[in-house]
PDB file of all heavy atoms in Angstrom:
ATOM      1  N   MET A  12     -72.951 -38.773  34.297  1.00  0.00           N
ATOM      2  CA  MET A  12     -73.641 -38.074  35.349  1.00  0.00           C
ATOM      3  C   MET A  12     -73.925 -36.629  34.895  1.00  0.00           C
ATOM      4  O   MET A  12     -75.010 -36.078  35.133  1.00  0.00           O
ATOM      5  CB  MET A  12     -72.787 -38.012  36.621  1.00  0.00           C
ATOM      6  CG  MET A  12     -72.539 -39.362  37.288  1.00  0.00           C
ATOM      7  SD  MET A  12     -71.594 -39.116  38.811  1.00  0.00           S
ATOM      8  CE  MET A  12     -70.832 -40.733  38.977  1.00  0.00           C
ATOM      9  N   GLU A  13     -72.943 -35.974  34.270  1.00  0.00           N
ATOM     10  CA  GLU A  13     -73.124 -34.606  33.793  1.00  0.00           C
ATOM     11  C   GLU A  13     -74.284 -34.529  32.795  1.00  0.00           C
ATOM     12  O   GLU A  13     -75.114 -33.614  32.884  1.00  0.00           O
ATOM     13  CB  GLU A  13     -71.818 -34.152  33.109  1.00  0.00           C
ATOM     14  CG  GLU A  13     -70.677 -33.888  34.066  1.00  0.00           C
ATOM     15  CD  GLU A  13     -69.386 -33.671  33.311  1.00  0.00           C
ATOM     16  OE1 GLU A  13     -69.399 -33.469  32.127  1.00  0.00           O
ATOM     17  OE2 GLU A  13     -68.306 -33.711  34.001  1.00  0.00           O
ATOM     18  N   SER A  14     -74.332 -35.468  31.870  1.00  0.00           N
ATOM     19  CA  SER A  14     -75.383 -35.429  30.865  1.00  0.00           C
ATOM     20  C   SER A  14     -76.739 -35.721  31.499  1.00  0.00           C
ATOM     21  O   SER A  14     -77.767 -35.151  31.047  1.00  0.00           O
ATOM     22  CB  SER A  14     -75.078 -36.437  29.724  1.00  0.00           C
ATOM     23  OG  SER A  14     -75.018 -37.750  30.243  1.00  0.00           O
ATOM     24  N   ALA A  15     -76.757 -36.533  32.497  1.00  0.00           N
ATOM     25  CA  ALA A  15     -78.019 -36.856  33.167  1.00  0.00           C
ATOM     26  C   ALA A  15     -78.583 -35.676  33.913  1.00  0.00           C
ATOM     27  O   ALA A  15     -79.789 -35.390  33.874  1.00  0.00           O
ATOM     28  CB  ALA A  15     -77.862 -38.040  34.097  1.00  0.00           C
ATOM     29  N   VAL A  16     -77.714 -34.932  34.598  1.00  0.00           N
ATOM     30  CA  VAL A  16     -78.116 -33.739  35.281  1.00  0.00           C
ATOM     31  C   VAL A  16     -78.603 -32.703  34.282  1.00  0.00           C
ATOM     32  O   VAL A  16     -79.621 -32.046  34.462  1.00  0.00           O
ATOM     33  CB  VAL A  16     -76.982 -33.177  36.170  1.00  0.00           C
ATOM     34  CG1 VAL A  16     -77.353 -31.794  36.707  1.00  0.00           C
ATOM     35  CG2 VAL A  16     -76.654 -34.117  37.306  1.00  0.00           C
ATOM     36  N   ALA A  17     -77.835 -32.527  33.191  1.00  0.00           N
ATOM     37  CA  ALA A  17     -78.224 -31.571  32.172  1.00  0.00           C
ATOM     38  C   ALA A  17     -79.541 -31.914  31.536  1.00  0.00           C
ATOM     39  O   ALA A  17     -80.394 -31.073  31.234  1.00  0.00           O
ATOM     40  CB  ALA A  17     -77.140 -31.491  31.078  1.00  0.00           C
ATOM     41  N   ALA A  18     -79.771 -33.218  31.328  1.00  0.00           N
ATOM     42  CA  ALA A  18     -81.069 -33.667  30.755  1.00  0.00           C
ATOM     43  C   ALA A  18     -82.228 -33.341  31.643  1.00  0.00           C
ATOM     44  O   ALA A  18     -83.316 -32.936  31.156  1.00  0.00           O
ATOM     45  CB  ALA A  18     -80.986 -35.162  30.511  1.00  0.00           C
ATOM     46  N   ARG A  19     -82.026 -33.442  32.961  1.00  0.00           N
ATOM     47  CA  ARG A  19     -83.148 -33.093  33.888  1.00  0.00           C
ATOM     48  C   ARG A  19     -83.402 -31.556  33.820  1.00  0.00           C
ATOM     49  O   ARG A  19     -84.544 -31.125  33.900  1.00  0.00           O
ATOM     50  CB  ARG A  19     -82.814 -33.549  35.295  1.00  0.00           C
ATOM     51  CG  ARG A  19     -82.833 -35.042  35.480  1.00  0.00           C
ATOM     52  CD  ARG A  19     -83.101 -35.443  36.919  1.00  0.00           C
ATOM     53  NE  ARG A  19     -82.896 -36.855  37.071  1.00  0.00           N
ATOM     54  CZ  ARG A  19     -83.159 -37.523  38.197  1.00  0.00           C
ATOM     55  NH1 ARG A  19     -83.665 -36.872  39.267  1.00  0.00           N
ATOM     56  NH2 ARG A  19     -82.944 -38.841  38.312  1.00  0.00           N
ATOM     57  N   ILE A  20     -82.284 -30.798  33.700  1.00  0.00           N
ATOM     58  CA  ILE A  20     -82.465 -29.362  33.601  1.00  0.00           C
ATOM     59  C   ILE A  20     -83.228 -29.011  32.332  1.00  0.00           C
ATOM     60  O   ILE A  20     -84.175 -28.197  32.375  1.00  0.00           O
ATOM     61  CB  ILE A  20     -81.082 -28.636  33.634  1.00  0.00           C
ATOM     62  CG1 ILE A  20     -80.418 -28.832  34.977  1.00  0.00           C
ATOM     63  CG2 ILE A  20     -81.219 -27.184  33.283  1.00  0.00           C
ATOM     64  CD1 ILE A  20     -78.959 -28.405  35.015  1.00  0.00           C
ATOM     65  N   LEU A  21     -82.870 -29.618  31.213  1.00  0.00           N
ATOM     66  CA  LEU A  21     -83.576 -29.360  29.997  1.00  0.00           C
ATOM     67  C   LEU A  21     -85.042 -29.844  30.034  1.00  0.00           C
ATOM     68  O   LEU A  21     -85.910 -29.201  29.482  1.00  0.00           O
ATOM     69  CB  LEU A  21     -82.871 -30.105  28.821  1.00  0.00           C
ATOM     70  CG  LEU A  21     -81.638 -29.385  28.226  1.00  0.00           C
ATOM     71  CD1 LEU A  21     -80.804 -30.330  27.371  1.00  0.00           C
ATOM     72  CD2 LEU A  21     -82.063 -28.177  27.424  1.00  0.00           C
ATOM     73  N   SER A  22     -85.263 -30.937  30.770  1.00  0.00           N
ATOM     74  CA  SER A  22     -86.635 -31.401  30.902  1.00  0.00           C
ATOM     75  C   SER A  22     -87.521 -30.404  31.599  1.00  0.00           C
ATOM     76  O   SER A  22     -88.729 -30.293  31.344  1.00  0.00           O
ATOM     77  CB  SER A  22     -86.676 -32.756  31.629  1.00  0.00           C
ATOM     78  OG  SER A  22     -86.621 -32.601  33.040  1.00  0.00           O
ATOM     79  N   SER A  23     -86.954 -29.630  32.518  1.00  0.00           N
ATOM     80  CA  SER A  23     -87.696 -28.619  33.234  1.00  0.00           C
ATOM     81  C   SER A  23     -88.087 -27.407  32.369  1.00  0.00           C
ATOM     82  O   SER A  23     -88.995 -26.640  32.767  1.00  0.00           O
ATOM     83  CB  SER A  23     -86.895 -28.133  34.477  1.00  0.00           C
ATOM     84  OG  SER A  23     -85.814 -27.287  34.045  1.00  0.00           O
ATOM     85  N   MET A  24     -87.467 -27.275  31.200  1.00  0.00           N
ATOM     86  CA  MET A  24     -87.743 -26.181  30.298  1.00  0.00           C
ATOM     87  C   MET A  24     -88.816 -26.505  29.301  1.00  0.00           C
ATOM     88  O   MET A  24     -88.634 -26.350  28.111  1.00  0.00           O
ATOM     89  CB  MET A  24     -86.416 -25.751  29.601  1.00  0.00           C
ATOM     90  CG  MET A  24     -85.314 -25.325  30.579  1.00  0.00           C
ATOM     91  SD  MET A  24     -83.646 -25.363  29.865  1.00  0.00           S
ATOM     92  CE  MET A  24     -83.797 -24.238  28.499  1.00  0.00           C
ATOM     93  N   LYS A  25     -89.924 -26.993  29.807  1.00  0.00           N
ATOM     94  CA  LYS A  25     -91.023 -27.533  28.955  1.00  0.00           C
ATOM     95  C   LYS A  25     -91.521 -26.491  27.967  1.00  0.00           C
ATOM     96  O   LYS A  25     -91.688 -26.806  26.778  1.00  0.00           O
ATOM     97  CB  LYS A  25     -92.157 -28.032  29.815  1.00  0.00           C
ATOM     98  CG  LYS A  25     -93.331 -28.622  29.035  1.00  0.00           C
ATOM     99  CD  LYS A  25     -92.987 -29.934  28.340  1.00  0.00           C
ATOM    100  CE  LYS A  25     -94.191 -30.598  27.721  1.00  0.00           C
ATOM    101  NZ  LYS A  25     -93.864 -31.820  27.047  1.00  0.00           N
ATOM    102  N   ASP A  26     -91.805 -25.267  28.406  1.00  0.00           N
ATOM    103  CA  ASP A  26     -92.373 -24.238  27.538  1.00  0.00           C
ATOM    104  C   ASP A  26     -91.378 -23.887  26.435  1.00  0.00           C
ATOM    105  O   ASP A  26     -91.797 -23.709  25.270  1.00  0.00           O
ATOM    106  CB  ASP A  26     -92.757 -23.014  28.331  1.00  0.00           C
ATOM    107  CG  ASP A  26     -93.913 -23.262  29.276  1.00  0.00           C
ATOM    108  OD1 ASP A  26     -94.695 -24.240  29.035  1.00  0.00           O
ATOM    109  OD2 ASP A  26     -94.067 -22.527  30.253  1.00  0.00           O
ATOM    110  N   GLU A  27     -90.097 -23.716  26.755  1.00  0.00           N
ATOM    111  CA  GLU A  27     -89.118 -23.417  25.783  1.00  0.00           C
ATOM    112  C   GLU A  27     -88.945 -24.548  24.750  1.00  0.00           C
ATOM    113  O   GLU A  27     -88.803 -24.307  23.541  1.00  0.00           O
ATOM    114  CB  GLU A  27     -87.733 -23.164  26.398  1.00  0.00           C
ATOM    115  CG  GLU A  27     -87.640 -21.776  27.036  1.00  0.00           C
ATOM    116  CD  GLU A  27     -86.192 -21.499  27.520  1.00  0.00           C
ATOM    117  OE1 GLU A  27     -85.251 -21.549  26.698  1.00  0.00           O
ATOM    118  OE2 GLU A  27     -86.023 -21.300  28.742  1.00  0.00           O
ATOM    119  N   ARG A  28     -89.015 -25.791  25.250  1.00  0.00           N
ATOM    120  CA  ARG A  28     -88.887 -26.917  24.322  1.00  0.00           C
ATOM    121  C   ARG A  28     -90.067 -26.999  23.363  1.00  0.00           C
ATOM    122  O   ARG A  28     -89.932 -27.350  22.213  1.00  0.00           O
ATOM    123  CB  ARG A  28     -88.801 -28.228  25.131  1.00  0.00           C
ATOM    124  CG  ARG A  28     -87.495 -28.364  25.841  1.00  0.00           C
ATOM    125  CD  ARG A  28     -87.232 -29.756  26.486  1.00  0.00           C
ATOM    126  NE  ARG A  28     -88.116 -29.999  27.614  1.00  0.00           N
ATOM    127  CZ  ARG A  28     -89.025 -30.936  27.684  1.00  0.00           C
ATOM    128  NH1 ARG A  28     -89.277 -31.727  26.642  1.00  0.00           N
ATOM    129  NH2 ARG A  28     -89.757 -31.110  28.748  1.00  0.00           N
ATOM    130  N   LYS A  29     -91.246 -26.621  23.831  1.00  0.00           N
ATOM    131  CA  LYS A  29     -92.414 -26.549  22.941  1.00  0.00           C
ATOM    132  C   LYS A  29     -92.218 -25.559  21.840  1.00  0.00           C
ATOM    133  O   LYS A  29     -92.515 -25.812  20.646  1.00  0.00           O
ATOM    134  CB  LYS A  29     -93.673 -26.181  23.724  1.00  0.00           C
ATOM    135  CG  LYS A  29     -94.263 -27.352  24.556  1.00  0.00           C
ATOM    136  CD  LYS A  29     -95.523 -26.869  25.234  1.00  0.00           C
ATOM    137  CE  LYS A  29     -96.212 -27.973  25.995  1.00  0.00           C
ATOM    138  NZ  LYS A  29     -97.442 -27.476  26.720  1.00  0.00           N
ATOM    139  N   LYS A  30     -91.669 -24.359  22.211  1.00  0.00           N
ATOM    140  CA  LYS A  30     -91.408 -23.319  21.198  1.00  0.00           C
ATOM    141  C   LYS A  30     -90.334 -23.790  20.207  1.00  0.00           C
ATOM    142  O   LYS A  30     -90.449 -23.535  18.989  1.00  0.00           O
ATOM    143  CB  LYS A  30     -90.931 -22.041  21.857  1.00  0.00           C
ATOM    144  CG  LYS A  30     -92.029 -21.349  22.703  1.00  0.00           C
ATOM    145  CD  LYS A  30     -91.509 -20.150  23.443  1.00  0.00           C
ATOM    146  CE  LYS A  30     -92.593 -19.472  24.298  1.00  0.00           C
ATOM    147  NZ  LYS A  30     -92.056 -18.354  25.100  1.00  0.00           N
ATOM    148  N   ALA A  31     -89.317 -24.458  20.735  1.00  0.00           N
ATOM    149  CA  ALA A  31     -88.216 -24.896  19.845  1.00  0.00           C
ATOM    150  C   ALA A  31     -88.728 -26.017  18.867  1.00  0.00           C
ATOM    151  O   ALA A  31     -88.340 -25.992  17.694  1.00  0.00           O
ATOM    152  CB  ALA A  31     -87.051 -25.438  20.673  1.00  0.00           C
ATOM    153  N   ALA A  32     -89.605 -26.870  19.359  1.00  0.00           N
ATOM    154  CA  ALA A  32     -90.160 -27.927  18.574  1.00  0.00           C
ATOM    155  C   ALA A  32     -90.951 -27.311  17.385  1.00  0.00           C
ATOM    156  O   ALA A  32     -90.899 -27.763  16.251  1.00  0.00           O
ATOM    157  CB  ALA A  32     -91.057 -28.845  19.359  1.00  0.00           C
ATOM    158  N   LYS A  33     -91.702 -26.276  17.703  1.00  0.00           N
ATOM    159  CA  LYS A  33     -92.511 -25.561  16.690  1.00  0.00           C
ATOM    160  C   LYS A  33     -91.592 -24.807  15.716  1.00  0.00           C
ATOM    161  O   LYS A  33     -91.851 -24.782  14.516  1.00  0.00           O
ATOM    162  CB  LYS A  33     -93.485 -24.621  17.371  1.00  0.00           C
ATOM    163  CG  LYS A  33     -94.482 -24.028  16.418  1.00  0.00           C
ATOM    164  CD  LYS A  33     -95.534 -23.174  17.172  1.00  0.00           C
ATOM    165  CE  LYS A  33     -96.555 -22.589  16.244  1.00  0.00           C
ATOM    166  NZ  LYS A  33     -97.542 -21.756  16.980  1.00  0.00           N
ATOM    167  N   ALA A  34     -90.522 -24.195  16.291  1.00  0.00           N
ATOM    168  CA  ALA A  34     -89.692 -23.360  15.431  1.00  0.00           C
ATOM    169  C   ALA A  34     -88.879 -24.230  14.401  1.00  0.00           C
ATOM    170  O   ALA A  34     -88.684 -23.777  13.279  1.00  0.00           O
ATOM    171  CB  ALA A  34     -88.696 -22.579  16.289  1.00  0.00           C
ATOM    172  N   TYR A  35     -88.448 -25.390  14.807  1.00  0.00           N
ATOM    173  CA  TYR A  35     -87.652 -26.225  13.953  1.00  0.00           C
ATOM    174  C   TYR A  35     -88.468 -27.238  13.161  1.00  0.00           C
ATOM    175  O   TYR A  35     -88.118 -27.610  12.038  1.00  0.00           O
ATOM    176  CB  TYR A  35     -86.555 -26.903  14.746  1.00  0.00           C
ATOM    177  CG  TYR A  35     -85.444 -25.982  15.137  1.00  0.00           C
ATOM    178  CD1 TYR A  35     -85.412 -25.401  16.404  1.00  0.00           C
ATOM    179  CD2 TYR A  35     -84.435 -25.620  14.206  1.00  0.00           C
ATOM    180  CE1 TYR A  35     -84.422 -24.498  16.786  1.00  0.00           C
ATOM    181  CE2 TYR A  35     -83.446 -24.739  14.599  1.00  0.00           C
ATOM    182  CZ  TYR A  35     -83.421 -24.159  15.844  1.00  0.00           C
ATOM    183  OH  TYR A  35     -82.452 -23.267  16.219  1.00  0.00           O
ATOM    184  N   ALA A  36     -89.480 -27.758  13.768  1.00  0.00           N
ATOM    185  CA  ALA A  36     -90.420 -28.689  13.073  1.00  0.00           C
ATOM    186  C   ALA A  36     -89.664 -29.834  12.396  1.00  0.00           C
ATOM    187  O   ALA A  36     -89.962 -30.186  11.296  1.00  0.00           O
ATOM    188  CB  ALA A  36     -91.285 -27.949  12.086  1.00  0.00           C
ATOM    189  N   ILE A  37     -88.648 -30.363  13.076  1.00  0.00           N
ATOM    190  CA  ILE A  37     -87.882 -31.497  12.547  1.00  0.00           C
ATOM    191  C   ILE A  37     -88.641 -32.774  12.935  1.00  0.00           C
ATOM    192  O   ILE A  37     -88.819 -33.058  14.093  1.00  0.00           O
ATOM    193  CB  ILE A  37     -86.464 -31.534  13.118  1.00  0.00           C
ATOM    194  CG1 ILE A  37     -85.649 -30.283  12.715  1.00  0.00           C
ATOM    195  CG2 ILE A  37     -85.715 -32.776  12.679  1.00  0.00           C
ATOM    196  CD1 ILE A  37     -84.296 -30.196  13.316  1.00  0.00           C
ATOM    197  N   ARG A  38     -89.030 -33.433  11.933  1.00  0.00           N
ATOM    198  CA  ARG A  38     -89.825 -34.648  12.146  1.00  0.00           C
ATOM    199  C   ARG A  38     -88.925 -35.835  12.497  1.00  0.00           C
ATOM    200  O   ARG A  38     -87.942 -36.115  11.869  1.00  0.00           O
ATOM    201  CB  ARG A  38     -90.613 -35.023  10.868  1.00  0.00           C
ATOM    202  CG  ARG A  38     -91.663 -36.058  11.066  1.00  0.00           C
ATOM    203  CD  ARG A  38     -92.534 -36.197   9.791  1.00  0.00           C
ATOM    204  NE  ARG A  38     -93.563 -37.185   9.970  1.00  0.00           N
ATOM    205  CZ  ARG A  38     -94.433 -37.529   9.048  1.00  0.00           C
ATOM    206  NH1 ARG A  38     -94.405 -36.904   7.880  1.00  0.00           N
ATOM    207  NH2 ARG A  38     -95.337 -38.472   9.285  1.00  0.00           N
ATOM    208  N   LEU A  39     -89.240 -36.505  13.620  1.00  0.00           N
ATOM    209  CA  LEU A  39     -88.481 -37.639  14.009  1.00  0.00           C
ATOM    210  C   LEU A  39     -88.690 -38.804  13.000  1.00  0.00           C
ATOM    211  O   LEU A  39     -89.795 -39.082  12.603  1.00  0.00           O
ATOM    212  CB  LEU A  39     -88.921 -38.120  15.390  1.00  0.00           C
ATOM    213  CG  LEU A  39     -88.670 -37.179  16.585  1.00  0.00           C
ATOM    214  CD1 LEU A  39     -89.174 -37.782  17.872  1.00  0.00           C
ATOM    215  CD2 LEU A  39     -87.221 -36.802  16.738  1.00  0.00           C
ATOM    216  N   ALA A  40     -87.568 -39.371  12.600  1.00  0.00           N
ATOM    217  CA  ALA A  40     -87.622 -40.443  11.668  1.00  0.00           C
ATOM    218  C   ALA A  40     -87.703 -41.799  12.342  1.00  0.00           C
ATOM    219  O   ALA A  40     -86.926 -42.053  13.266  1.00  0.00           O
ATOM    220  CB  ALA A  40     -86.399 -40.404  10.708  1.00  0.00           C
ATOM    221  N   LYS A  41     -88.584 -42.631  11.909  1.00  0.00           N
ATOM    222  CA  LYS A  41     -88.631 -43.998  12.450  1.00  0.00           C
ATOM    223  C   LYS A  41     -87.371 -44.709  11.998  1.00  0.00           C
ATOM    224  O   LYS A  41     -86.885 -44.559  10.830  1.00  0.00           O
ATOM    225  CB  LYS A  41     -89.873 -44.725  11.931  1.00  0.00           C
ATOM    226  CG  LYS A  41     -91.189 -44.209  12.512  1.00  0.00           C
ATOM    227  CD  LYS A  41     -91.284 -44.615  13.963  1.00  0.00           C
ATOM    228  CE  LYS A  41     -92.665 -44.246  14.618  1.00  0.00           C
ATOM    229  NZ  LYS A  41     -92.846 -42.811  14.775  1.00  0.00           N
ATOM    230  N   LEU A  42     -86.806 -45.516  12.915  1.00  0.00           N
ATOM    231  CA  LEU A  42     -85.596 -46.238  12.548  1.00  0.00           C
ATOM    232  C   LEU A  42     -85.852 -47.350  11.536  1.00  0.00           C
ATOM    233  O   LEU A  42     -86.915 -47.991  11.595  1.00  0.00           O
ATOM    234  CB  LEU A  42     -84.953 -46.828  13.852  1.00  0.00           C
ATOM    235  CG  LEU A  42     -84.654 -45.819  14.972  1.00  0.00           C
ATOM    236  CD1 LEU A  42     -83.984 -46.518  16.099  1.00  0.00           C
ATOM    237  CD2 LEU A  42     -83.822 -44.643  14.449  1.00  0.00           C
TER     238      LEU A  42
END
C-alpha cells in the first residue's frame, strides 16, 4: 500500500520526471 501511494505521488510529478529522464538518459533495456 505504501509503495502504491508513493507511486501515485511520483506519477503526479510529471515535469520533474521529464527533467530526470533527460538528465540521466538511462535507456530501458528490453528483457
